[in-house]
Amino acid sequence: MNRRYRKTIIAGNWKMNKTASEGKALLDEIKQSVGKIKWCEVVCCVPFVDIPMALRALKDTRIAVGAQNMHHEASGAYTGEVSAAMLKDLGVKYVIIGHSERREYFGETDELVNKKVLAALEAGLHPIVCVGERLEQRDMGITHELIAMQVKAALAGVPQDKVRKMVIAYEPIWAIGTGRTATAEQANEICELIRATIRKMYGARTARAVTIQYGGSMNAKNASELLAQPDVDGGLIGGASLKAPDFTAIVEAANQ
Ligand code: PGA
């Protein structure tokens, strides 16, 4: 992380876990244990139906609420979907876009991710855009090209003044929920590549202001080493965000 130029952000991704009552209990615990947040921004990305509860529970804290997905259209006949304006109106600050589980199980393409990014920014939300390679792609040696392409596609048409509002999360698919973490060097190498890609598109000042997270089995034990890397500006945390002591330990690592 490099606090001089950009925010360190620790975001929990609850995925499809926790009913509103279970989530309330978890947030009450997290609120207590996280204590004073010094340097970093802390976000809990909860299921849609938990959002009103989370906003109430975190009202007087510095922990922000995020969503895990949204539709790219402003409104209309899209049964079952939720728009960026609906999230913004509630008080949601962040929205995860293009998580690998959405890409894999719900067919989200780079083009769709781009539409969602543009809609989220338009509504005043901060998108957390996920990019990452599969193990076969890493083994084929195409990780760099693939990630650069995902980043370019996600950012297509994003105006210069909005890029700083975005967060990019590098999440190697082989590390998500597997207990297998990228090494600190692997994580930094790709986060650096993401920054270089943004630099080519928008220049050095913008690139150094963008928060780039690592995600994939980040936990209480490995967080410090990953966050000590110069281009790793935080974490997107799945499994470990569902346990208050583990999530708190990661926030503390970012607070060092
Ligand atoms: P994990 O999930 O921490 O459980 O690997 C990360 C994510 O999917 O964002």
Side-chain angles (χ1 to χ4, degrees):
M1 49 194 170
N2 183 335
R3 292 199 194 101
R4 211 164 121 207
Y5 296 122
R6 47 195 178 257
K7 262 192 209 160
T8 302
I9 304 177
I10 301 296
N13 173 11
W14 289 10
K15 310 194 179 182
M16 196 175 73
N17 293 294
K18 304 289 177 191
T19 62
S21 3
E22 290 163 352
K24 164 101 174 50
L26 175 59
L27 289 177
D28 285 343
E29 228 190 303
I30 288 176
K31 262 195 311 197
Q32 293 300 315
S33 57
V34 158
K36 209 161 167 290
I37 297 165
K38 280 186 286 202
W39 304 108
C40 62
E41 170 112 336
V42 180
V43 189
C44 291
C45 298
V46 305
F48 285 136
V49 294
D50 291 2
I51 289 174
M53 170 285 294
L55 287 161
R56 267 196 309 277
L58 298 173
K59 191 162 53 103
D60 299 315
T61 72
R62 288 185 48 202
I63 305 174
V65 175
Q68 302 171 12
N69 180 34
M70 52 167 264
H71 196 272
H72 61 280
E73 291 291 348
S75 65
Y78 302 101
T79 303
E81 292 292 324
V82 170
S83 73
M86 290 172 187
L87 297 173
K88 178 70 182 174
D89 181 67
L90 283 178
V92 168
K93 189 166 176 192
Y94 291 87
V95 58
I96 299 174
I97 291 179
H99 189 279
S100 64
E101 286 149 18
R102 302 264 355 142
R103 293 179 191 251
E104 181 172 349
Y105 306 137
F106 302 95
E108 293 198 7
T109 59
D110 284 333
E111 291 71 25
L112 184 64
V113 168
N114 177 240
K115 284 186 184 158
K116 292 188 180 200
V117 166
L118 296 172
L121 288 168
E122 187 62 35
L125 296 169
H126 295 271
I128 301 177
V129 183
C130 303
V131 297
E133 81 286 4
R134 304 172 187 289
L135 192 55
E136 312 87 80
Q137 294 166 327
R138 175 163 281 264
D139 290 343
M140 275 190 266
I142 58 171
T143 301
H144 285 213
E145 290 86 342
L146 188 97
I147 302 290
M149 195 188 83
Q150 289 177 339
V151 171
K152 280 187 200 161
L155 289 170
V158 173
Q160 173 96 29
D161 62 319
K162 294 248 170 81
V163 184
R164 290 161 189 254
K165 299 194 183 334
M166 300 184 54
V167 177
I168 313 279
Y170 168 53
E171 298 210 304
I173 295 169
W174 46 271
I176 295 177
T178 56
R180 186 176 162 195
T181 322
T183 64
E185 292 71 28
Q186 284 171 330
N188 194 65
E189 181 194 340
I190 304 300
C191 290
E192 201 182 343
L193 169 101
I194 293 170
R195 200 177 309 286
T197 307
I198 301 174
R199 190 181 305 125
K200 278 184 210 138
M201 298 173 77
Y202 295 97
R205 284 167 70 105
T206 300
R208 76 178 184 201
V210 176
T211 297
I212 302 177
Q213 301 174 315
Y214 167 79
S217 301
M218 193 188 261
N219 59 37
K221 285 209 182 73
N222 59 30
S224 298
E225 200 192 343
L226 286 159
L227 295 170
Q229 298 296 313
D231 279 294
V232 179
D233 308 315
L236 184 56
I237 295 120
S241 72
L242 297 172
K243 293 178 216 117
D246 296 35
F247 190 60
T248 302
I250 298 171
V251 172
E252 272 162 17
N255 255 334
Q256 290 313 303

